[in-house]
């Protein structure tokens, strides 16, 4: 009985602050912000993996046009709010359906904002449609490939279909192969082990893992007899903390 009464009090409190709400469900896993009354928000990624995952999740849904840049941390929140005012980056799924029906583009904002960082890396993704004419947008399917946070976005075969993934740049791979070759020539097993462990800690997207395995094989071919690191898969993770717009 106490739990039912708790739910009832919560519903009344929220309705008293937000008159247009007809019914709201309160659970431990989905707490509603009574102060903001379901305000628009956008996730803030505190690590690279979360930021890169959001892009891989969004592109297959039609968010294939992009632009990106850097902003100081003290101006990042203002930038997010400006993008919401202009392009609706914090719109709900229902609002996005309405925008699409009107011929407007939908947009999402990806922000890589580590704690205590002075600079914030941002990337704006948009679907087809009107409303972003003032932005200089490129297509993720065009060359040169989208490069962001040290990785490039490509489509590669995966489980019988083409899927979007991140990989290291060609230049970085050449540098890593040269490093392993140098360490092998010096017979520095400890240095090779450290190099392989470092690359194994990088985000485990399919493209990155494929490259990491190739580097492991290159080390073996050059006589390395130390342990090979475990190559982790990227797990389903949160896109980040919510920033109310």
């Amino acid at each position: 009985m106490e739990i039912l009464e708790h739910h009832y009090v919560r519903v009344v409190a929220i309705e008293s602050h937000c008159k247009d709400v007809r019914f709201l469900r309160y659970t431990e896993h989905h707490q509603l912000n009574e102060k903001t009354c379901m305000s628009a928000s956008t996730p803030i990624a505190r690590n690279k993996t979360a930021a890169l995952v959001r892009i891989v999740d969004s592109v297959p849904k039609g968010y294939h046009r992009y632009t990106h840049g850097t902003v100081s941390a003290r101006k990042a929140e203002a930038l997010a709010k400006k993008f919401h005012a202009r392009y609706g980056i914090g719109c709900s799924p229902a609002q996005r359906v309405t925008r699409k029906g009107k011929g407007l583009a939908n947009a999402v904002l990806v922000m890589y904002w580590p704690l205590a960082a002075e600079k914030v890396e941002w990337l704006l993704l948009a679907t087809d449609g009107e409303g972003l004419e003032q932005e200089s947008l490129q297509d993720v399917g065009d060359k040169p490939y989208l490069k962001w946070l040290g990785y490039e976005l490509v489509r590669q075969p995966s489980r019988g279909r083409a899927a979007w993934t991140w990989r290291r740049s060609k230049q970085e791979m050449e540098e890593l192969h040269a490093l392993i070759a140098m360490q092998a020539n010096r017979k520095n097993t400890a240095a090779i082990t450290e190099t392989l462990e470092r690359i194994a800690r990088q985000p485990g997207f399919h493209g990155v893992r494929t490259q990491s395995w190739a580097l492991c094989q290159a080390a073996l071919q050059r006589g390395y007899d130390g342990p090979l690191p475990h190559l982790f898969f990227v797990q389903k993770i949160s896109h980040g903390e919510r920033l109310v717009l």
Side-chain angles (χ1 to χ4, degrees), residues 65 77 117 137 142 154 168:
R65 299 188 293 163
E77 185 173 344
L137 300 175
D142 294 340
V154 296
R168 302 178 185 89

Side-chain angles (χ1 to χ4, degrees), residues 81-139:
K81 291 181 177 180
K82 182 184 77 172
F83 280 149
H84 179 60
R86 290 183 178 181
Y87 313 130
I89 62 163
C91 284
S92 67
Q95 290 170 328
R96 291 177 185 273
V97 170
T98 300
R99 288 177 60 89
K100 182 178 180 180
K102 295 180 179 179
L104 297 174
N106 282 308
V108 296
L109 179 64
V110 185
M111 302 185 83
Y112 173 52
W113 190 346
L115 293 173
E118 296 182 358
K119 296 289 185 179
V120 176
E121 302 284 344
W122 61 266
L123 187 143
L124 185 71
L125 285 167
T127 64
D128 289 327
E130 301 177 353
L132 280 84
E133 289 75 17
Q134 61 184 317
E135 301 291 342
S136 179
L137 300 175
Q138 297 174 270
D139 195 290

Side-chain angles (χ1 to χ4, degrees), residues 3-28:
I3 295 178
L4 293 177
E5 291 176 353
H6 179 67
H7 282 205
Y8 177 78
V9 171
R10 280 290 182 178
V11 172
V12 171
I14 295 173
E15 290 180 341
S16 67
H17 286 79
C18 203
K19 299 300 183 182
D20 59 333
V21 176
R22 296 293 178 266
F23 176 77
L24 296 173
R25 178 178 297 172
Y26 176 88
T27 70
E28 181 180 358

